Amino acid sequence: MGKTLAEKIWTEHIVSSKAGEPDLLYIDLHLIHEVTSPQAFDGLRLANRKVRRPELTIATEDHNVPTLNIDKPIADPVSKLQVDTLRKNCAEFGVRIHSLGDIEQGIVHVVGPQLGITQPGMTIVCGDSHTSTHGAFGALAFGIGTSEVEHVLATQTLPLLRPKTMAINVEGTLKPGVTSKDIILAVIAKIGTGGGQGYILEYRGSAIRALSMEARMTICNMSIEAGARAGLIAPDQTTFDYVKTKPHAPVGADWDAALTYWNTLSTDIDAKFDKEINLNADELAPFVTWGTNPGQGLPLSGSVPNPADLSNTEDRGAAERALEYMDLKPGTPLKSIKVDTVFLGSCTNGRIEDLRSAADILKGKKIASSLRLLVVPGSARVRLQAETEGLDKVFLDAGAEWRSAGCSMCLGMNPDQLKPGERAASTSNRNFEGRQGKGGRTHLVSPLVAAATALKGTLASPADL
Amino acid sequence: MEKFIKHSGSALPLRRSNVDTDQIIPAVYLKRITKSGFEDGLFAAWRNDPAFELNQPQYKNATVLVVGPDFGTGSSREHAVWALQNYGFKVVLSSRFADIFRGNSQKMGLLTVILPQDEIEKIWKKIESAPDTKITVDLEAKTVTYDTVSIPFAIDDYTRWRLMQGLDDIGLTFTKIDEVAKFEEKRMSFKPKTLPIR
């Protein structure tokens, strides 16, 4: 029987395999940031160990860095200590780092692909659950905890039990105004936040093949929101064209050898997935979450659901709690919900195509006077590209704030936070209680819905303008 | 890592599903550069509510946390495990755990035990009516017991062995480091390197 893509990459990276034990997998690339690495480096020092392969490791500063006044010292002393610790650790252990102010600084999952160090067929890890983003290249990429960060630093390997595989088949054509963000929100609403637990997801079908690399990254990014550690898409010409122009792409004979290998990276016709899910792209509409987990989402044309209608006790309890936290009443049309802040950014939707699509909607218009629009590019390079194209001017003219790169309001570790009770439409990935600031309320949306909402003041899609 | 063979303690019922790691420890508490001192951040937002279970005196000494399904979803932050351990929890019982959280807990020796949801419901009822009930989690026998009830649970043999021996994974991998070196020799030469910078 044939193999799935995930099984092929897994097998290719087995260093050691023994019945009754986890496989020991080789890791091709280890991405590092300031929040989940300090304790790992401490562990190395305590055991007198080195970083085994510094040339397969790279660091950047993203989670807690400010997006204003980045030329000045970080004002929060605790954040500053954490960033300084990363810089010291990288210097001591010989790890490449892109610090605040560097053109390659940015969200770790935006930086890897733009440098071209994210390539098909690799194993990629990072102490961040959205590492699944890199799966868009046909890589096996997943988030790890700090103990595992230390393990990879010390050995360039990880012991792992082999997950099962699930196919997410999306056939058909997306309607105008419907994006890859809407695909993944619909997937999560369908299978639930635990649906992918124990699986690697493979996104397949004509609707997936038609997507750009950046749109594919948005989908793979949120695999973890469906409970799956990793999600991937088989590489194709779109992937190869994207990688080829990047600084660390293979060149000459290496490119030919790489391409030959990459062309083998697809699921065999006779391979069998442990589970398959089907979605019709023709039927998808702009999606929005109404609750406090990413599975609590609906088409924007819908209304806030009534928990009493849910048959499952757990779902009902969760929905009741969510509506209380979100301050929403059952039956309220989603499009009538008033928003205070719109956040455009994050590793989910902070790339250049996301900024372009939002700028297209905002061009020559003003955002609603009742709200603020925060635009945070995913990396310094994305910011520069946007400025080259004049997008910064579109955003500023519309009344938005144009910030420097980082995770920013996606997780509210830096000063970019919602105030208690404030409601946001956000292109990020998590609508958890307090995720964007204590007491803040989050509706997850695509960049198109974010832009339309910013103009209207209430949740809206471009078609509503 | 401390060996885990058997633990007995009182329990805290948390009747919530989908408790993500942002709830277990919010991001603003992640700025420490040590593995200790995270207990103050544990369930920080919910602890503002005096009715929250962690604030109730009858559960003050609980070392076993009994929670709803899909515990530990979301962020990969191992700080969630540290916060639970720093606070004093030794075991978490749930019908479903998120993959990354479960992996992290097994690296740190916080035992995560999967039980059927109806058994979790029974334990909730029991400890809500009798908070002093001792729950015994026996990793050797693979059972959770209280009163006269004994519930078997499954865990893969390798993880069980490692937890019972208190072995850390890095030390175990170093016993295979020659195989790692051999693997590196046959790696495809076109795979990218971060250094030198291009």
Side-chain angles (χ1 to χ4, degrees):
Chain A
M1 199 176 69
K3 281 182 178 163
T4 63
L5 171 57
E7 287 163 346
K8 286 184 186 178
I9 302 174
W10 186 282
T11 307
E12 185 67 40
H13 288 84
I14 295 176
V15 169
S16 153
S17 180
K18 218 168 121 187
E21 285 187 17
D23 289 342
L24 189 64
L25 284 200
Y26 198 79
I27 302 301
D28 289 322
L29 178 66
H30 188 192
L31 306 154
I32 285 172
H33 63 87
E34 72 275 19
V35 177
T36 57
S37 68
Q39 296 85 353
F41 282 110
D42 258 356
L44 290 187
R45 263 189 295 268
L46 279 171
N48 202 18
R49 288 172 178 148
K50 297 183 301 185
V51 173
R52 181 175 177 85
R53 298 296 298 270
E55 78 278 21
L56 304 182
T57 314
I58 189 168
T60 188
E61 300 161 3
D62 57 2
H63 275 63
N64 85 32
V65 296
T67 57
L68 281 174
N69 304 320
I70 61 163
D71 52 332
K72 307 218 168 57
I74 298 174
D76 173 358
V78 198
S79 290
K80 184 174 184 303
L81 175 65
Q82 203 169 47
V83 170
D84 286 346
T85 303
L86 178 69
R87 292 176 187 177
K88 262 188 255 168
N89 284 331
C90 287
E92 181 181 339
F93 289 92
V95 172
R96 171 175 173 184
I97 180 171
H98 293 293
S99 290
L100 218 52
D102 181 322
I103 187 63
E104 303 299 353
Q105 176 270 339
I107 307 174
V108 67
H109 311 307
V110 178
V111 169
Q114 82 184 14
L115 283 173
I117 50 176
T118 298
Q119 296 177 14
M122 294 172 68
T123 46
I124 301 176
V125 298
C126 173
D128 185 279
S129 61
H130 291 112
T131 309
S132 56
T133 311
H134 307 263
F137 292 79
L140 183 59
F142 48 90
I144 57 179
T146 298
S147 293
E148 292 172 308
V149 170
E150 184 180 339
H151 196 121
V152 178
L153 287 172
T155 68
Q156 204 59 36
T157 65
L158 270 184
L160 289 163
L161 293 168
R162 189 186 292 227
K164 293 176 283 188
T165 57
M166 188 190 300
I168 310 277
N169 304 307
V170 193
E171 297 289 351
T173 313
L174 292 176
K175 288 201 264 306
V178 185
T179 68
S180 67
K181 180 66 164 281
D182 304 305
I183 295 180
I184 189 63
L185 286 174
V187 167
I188 302 162
K190 189 177 170 101
I191 72 174
T193 57
Q197 271 169 28
Y199 290 93
I200 298 173
L201 310 183
E202 183 181 333
Y203 304 96
R204 301 157 59 80
S206 54
I208 302 294
R209 297 258 71 85
L211 296 172
S212 70
M213 277 320 293
E214 297 198 352
R216 293 179 189 185
M217 284 188 244
T218 301
I219 293 197
C220 291
N221 171 276
M222 289 188 71
S223 302
I224 182 67
E225 266 57 70
R229 235 175 149 169
L232 39 68
I233 295 172
D236 58 13
Q237 199 57 43
T238 304
T239 321
F240 309 148
D241 292 346
Y242 183 95
V243 172
K244 187 151 197 180
T245 59
K246 302 295 179 286
H248 282 271
V251 288
D254 275 349
W255 173 262
D256 298 336
L259 203 58
T260 304
Y261 172 55
W262 296 347
N263 273 311
T264 68
L265 295 173
S266 58
T267 291
D268 294 330
I269 292 167
D270 56 343
K272 201 165 157 32
F273 290 93
D274 296 296
K275 197 170 177 181
E276 297 217 29
I277 301 286
N278 298 306
L279 227 69
N280 185 346
D282 299 326
E283 290 168 6
L284 292 178
F287 235 73
V288 60
T289 61
W290 50 266
T292 54
N293 76 57
Q296 293 172 322
L298 279 173
L300 186 55
S301 54
S303 299
V304 175
N306 190 341
D309 297 340
L310 298 170
S311 55
N312 179 310
T313 329
E314 303 303 331
D315 290 348
R316 190 160 57 234
E320 281 167 0
R321 192 182 298 281
L323 291 193
E324 191 188 330
Y325 182 85
M326 293 296 286
D327 192 28
L328 291 173
K329 301 264 176 303
T332 307
L334 293 167
K335 285 185 186 173
S336 70
I337 296 171
K338 208 169 153 290
V339 165
D340 307 302
T341 291
V342 174
F343 173 65
L344 176 59
S346 85
C347 58
T348 312
N349 282 126
R351 284 170 286 266
I352 191 69
E353 287 179 12
D354 300 313
L355 301 191
R356 282 179 194 145
S357 67
D360 263 357
I361 308 287
L362 294 167
K363 194 164 189 170
K365 303 197 176 83
K366 294 275 179 209
I367 61 170
S369 58
S370 55
L371 58 71
R372 62 170 168 158
L373 167 60
L374 209 62
V375 185
V376 184
S379 70
R381 200 166 274 291
V382 169
R383 181 181 152 98
L384 179 67
Q385 177 64 31
E387 289 177 349
T388 309
E389 297 177 20
L391 304 184
D392 58 325
K393 205 165 171 312
V394 173
F395 291 124
L396 288 166
D397 287 349
E401 296 177 44
W402 178 242
R403 297 295 188 90
S404 294
C407 299
S408 179
M409 195 182 269
C410 174
L411 85 164
M413 245 189 120
N414 76 345
D416 307 339
Q417 297 182 18
L418 295 179
K419 291 189 281 295
E422 211 178 336
R423 186 180 299 281
S426 177
T427 66
S428 57
N429 41 57
R430 290 188 174 136
N431 52 343
F432 298 154
E433 289 181 28
R435 167 79 177 184
Q436 298 192 285
K438 200 170 177 180
R441 301 174 176 131
T442 302
H443 298 275
L444 299 176
V445 296
S446 72
L448 291 178
V449 170
T453 300
L455 292 176
K456 204 133 199 254
T458 47
L459 289 173
S461 74
D464 301 320
L465 296 172
Chain B
M1 190 167 80
E2 243 179 86
K3 289 181 186 180
F4 191 112
I5 293 165
K6 191 177 186 176
H7 174 78
S8 268
S10 58
L12 183 140
L14 188 54
R15 286 182 179 265
R16 299 190 189 203
S17 60
N18 260 296
V19 175
D20 56 78
T21 54
D22 273 81
Q23 305 317 313
I24 300 173
I25 185 153
V28 288
Y29 290 91
L30 307 185
K31 297 179 187 179
R32 302 180 66 88
I33 55 173
T34 60
K35 288 188 186 181
S36 58
F38 290 99
E39 61 274 18
D40 293 343
L42 182 68
F43 298 121
W46 293 346
R47 270 159 88 176
N48 290 333
D49 174 5
F52 182 57
E53 286 79 353
L54 228 63
N55 295 326
Q56 296 181 23
Q58 69 270 34
Y59 304 127
K60 201 171 144 253
N61 298 315
T63 52
V64 178
L65 180 63
V66 190
V67 293
D70 297 316
F71 187 75
T73 55
S75 159
S76 63
R77 57 189 72 166
E78 197 164 304
H79 311 65
V81 174
W82 304 336
L84 287 162
Q85 288 184 315
N86 291 168
Y87 188 87
F89 287 108
K90 306 283 186 200
V91 181
V92 187
L93 309 180
S94 174
S95 62
R96 282 205 306 265
F97 291 97
D99 290 345
I100 302 181
F101 175 83
R102 187 140 203 259
N104 288 343
S105 66
Q106 290 170 343
K107 301 287 176 190
M108 288 302 297
L110 174 73
L111 190 66
T112 43
V113 175
I114 300 173
L115 294 181
Q117 186 58 31
D118 61 329
E119 296 291 355
I120 296 285
E121 301 273 355
K122 286 181 205 157
I123 298 174
W124 277 340
K125 278 188 196 132
K126 176 69 196 176
I127 51 186
E128 281 162 355
S129 61
D132 290 336
T133 305
K134 283 274 177 290
I135 309 249
T136 300
V137 181
D138 187 334
L139 185 54
E140 185 157 33
K142 294 192 274 187
T143 55
V144 173
T145 54
Y146 60 99
D147 296 348
T148 56
V149 182
S150 179
I151 316 156
F153 66 86
I155 181 169
D156 73 275
D157 290 340
Y158 181 81
T159 304
R160 174 167 162 267
W161 165 77
R162 200 173 50 72
L163 290 170
M164 287 180 66
Q165 301 292 323
L167 294 171
D168 87 279
D169 269 331
I170 301 180
L172 290 171
T173 298
F174 267 105
T175 65
K176 302 174 184 167
I177 208 72
D178 290 347
E179 289 177 72
V180 178
K182 253 185 244 158
F183 182 94
E184 285 175 331
E185 282 170 25
K186 64 174 179 68
R187 275 184 84 225
M188 297 168 192
S189 60
F190 56 78
K191 294 248 176 158
K193 293 187 175 68
T194 58
L195 293 168
I197 295 176
R198 285 203 218 158

